[in-house]
């Protein structure tokens, strides 16, 4: 009990995904937890958003391997209680997705679900995928109009991706905080890679290659900026 209480204090988002009901969330169907007290019409609206996001991810991957719990808050108070911050949504430990009041839409929900799906398919090899590709691919899967032009027009880049992009999560967070175009750059590079390699089929082939023990393809490695701790010494 002491350990559980410690997790709840130190990592409320993790604790909330383990026991949503302990944080006051109501299960409206298997895998979907909502802030209580909503009228039935609002509950249906949220469920429709989640269903649309699920379809988006399933259509891209040709099915689903993951089934994350979805924790949704319609008020900022609820979202803070379950450990949320200023983000619109977040994937937690690749087993759940938390959505803030500003994240209850298909784009945000499918973006976070896309992270969980990719990691579920990669398993222990998920850490080998550069963070920029993980994020850029999630933008593509969710078809986020903030960072990509509409499908079917060829080059979808809103911001050209020049130079290497962040490899690790820490590097990504630092870069994204300093450069508001980081998501658009990653989405640009990911969409270009998909166009050059056969679309969503290329992602499935990449996953098969990586889980079979293969190295990161040169086309992705070349676009990745190593962090100072892993970068080769100059000289």
């Amino acid at each position: 009990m002491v350990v559980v209480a410690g997790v709840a204090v130190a990592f409320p988002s993790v604790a909330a995904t383990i026991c949503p009901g302990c944080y006051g969330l109501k299960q409206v169907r298997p895998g979907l937890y909502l802030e209580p007290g909503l009228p039935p019409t609002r509950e249906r609206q949220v469920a429709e958003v989640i269903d649309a996001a699920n379809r988006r991810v399933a259509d891209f991957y040709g099915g689903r391997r993951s089934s994350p719990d979805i924790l949704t808050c319609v008020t900022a108070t609820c979202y803070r209680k379950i450990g949320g911050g200023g983000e619109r949504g977040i994937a937690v430990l690749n087993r759940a997705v938390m959505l803030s009041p500003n994240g209850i839409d298909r784009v945000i929900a499918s973006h976070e679900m896309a992270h969980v799906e990719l990691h579920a398919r990669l398993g222990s090899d998920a850490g080998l995928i550069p963070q920029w590709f993980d994020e850029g691919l999630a933008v593509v899967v969710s078809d986020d109009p903030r960072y990509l032009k509409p499908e079917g027009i060829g080059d979808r880049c809103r911001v050209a991706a020049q130079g290497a992009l962040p490899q690790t999560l820490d590097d990504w967070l630092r870069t994204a905080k300093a450069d508001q175009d980081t998501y658009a750059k990653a989405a640009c590079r990911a969409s270009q890679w998909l166009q050059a390699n056969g679309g969503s089929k290329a992602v499935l082939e990449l996953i098969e290659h990586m889980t079979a023990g293969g190295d990161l393809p040169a086309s992705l490695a070349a676009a990745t900026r190593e962090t100072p701790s892993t970068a080769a010494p100059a000289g």
Side-chain angles (χ1 to χ4, degrees), residues 115-131:
H115 284 310
V116 177
E117 182 67 21
L118 177 64
H119 286 231
R121 288 173 178 265
L122 284 167
S124 60
D125 295 305
L128 301 177
I129 296 296
Q131 191 66 30

Side-chain angles (χ1 to χ4, degrees), residues 39-120:
T41 53
R42 182 58 171 147
E43 288 188 356
R44 286 195 296 271
Q45 289 171 349
V46 174
E48 289 170 359
V49 167
I50 302 305
D51 288 342
N54 272 314
R55 287 194 297 271
R56 182 74 192 181
V57 177
D59 287 348
F60 183 88
Y61 280 98
R64 295 292 296 275
R65 298 276 182 87
S66 65
S67 54
D69 287 340
I70 311 297
L71 283 60
T72 305
C73 287
V74 300
T75 65
T77 300
C78 167
Y79 196 59
R80 286 194 300 270
K81 183 178 180 180
I82 65 173
E87 71 281 345
R88 297 179 68 178
I90 189 171
V92 181
L93 296 181
N94 301 316
R95 65 177 303 275
V97 168
M98 293 176 14
L99 298 176
S100 77
N102 294 323
I104 306 175
D105 66 48
R106 180 196 61 79
V107 170
I108 303 302
S110 58
H111 180 110
E112 301 306 333
M113 290 178 188
H115 284 310
V116 177
E117 182 67 21
L118 177 64
H119 286 231

Side-chain angles (χ1 to χ4, degrees), residues 152-165:
I153 64 171
D155 183 5
R156 302 189 65 192
C157 296
R158 290 196 179 278
V159 178
Q162 298 177 347
L165 294 166

